């Protein structure tokens, strides 16, 4: 049984939306799946999984795609936001600020 079976529908919808926006960013740059694969080292299947909003896609794959498409600044909201600072501190990650 996979953990995502317990997620509310709106979370699954947002994952699909995010994947669609990643596909849109790739298409706006006129990048083929093959080009993104060469830049990131990801398989075309892995890229398609992220673009489809699959929750089976790895965080590594998602991060590579965001970086390759110049969308990695979107990670700042999660990684650097003051709203998550306490959690980073609790985890001992504040030393990398």
């Amino acid at each position: 049984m996979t953990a995502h079976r317990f997620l509310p529908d709106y979370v699954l919808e947002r994952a699909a939306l995010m994947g669609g926006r990643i596909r849109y960013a790739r298409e706006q740059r006129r990048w083929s799946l093959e080009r993104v694969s060469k830049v990131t080292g990801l398989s075309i299947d892995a890229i398609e999984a992220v673009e489809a909003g699959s929750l089976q896609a790895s965080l590594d794959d998602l991060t590579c795609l965001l970086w390759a498409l110049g969308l990695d600044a979107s990670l700042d909201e999660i990684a650097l936001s003051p709203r998550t600072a306490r959690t980073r501190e609790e985890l001992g990650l504040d030393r990398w600020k």
Side-chain angles (χ1 to χ4, degrees), residues 26-44:
R26 177 181 58 79
E27 291 171 346
Q28 287 298 303
R29 288 159 179 76
R30 291 185 163 76
W31 282 24
S32 66
L33 289 167
E34 291 79 10
R35 180 175 179 179
V36 175
S37 177
K38 285 180 183 176
V39 169
T40 62
L42 299 174
S43 70
I44 290 175

Side-chain angles (χ1 to χ4, degrees), residues 3-94:
H4 72 271
R5 291 186 53 195
F6 299 102
L7 293 173
D9 287 342
Y10 77 91
V11 173
L12 301 174
E13 290 167 4
R14 286 182 182 163
L17 260 175
M18 182 174 60
R21 289 182 179 183
I22 290 169
R23 179 184 305 112
Y24 179 77
R26 177 181 58 79
E27 291 171 346
Q28 287 298 303
R29 288 159 179 76
R30 291 185 163 76
W31 282 24
S32 66
L33 289 167
E34 291 79 10
R35 180 175 179 179
V36 175
S37 177
K38 285 180 183 176
V39 169
T40 62
L42 299 174
S43 70
I44 290 175
D45 287 342
I47 297 165
E48 289 177 326
V50 171
E51 290 184 352
S54 170
L55 295 178
Q56 298 300 318
S58 75
L59 181 59
D60 182 54
D61 293 352
L62 176 60
T63 304
C64 284
L65 279 176
L66 292 174
W67 168 79
L69 295 170
L71 303 173
D72 52 307
S74 61
L75 294 171
D76 289 351
E77 177 60 28
I78 298 166
L80 303 175
S81 171
R83 291 181 293 167
T84 60
R86 188 174 57 161
T87 302
R88 286 194 333 264
E89 189 175 296
E90 289 171 356
L91 294 172
L93 300 177
D94 57 334

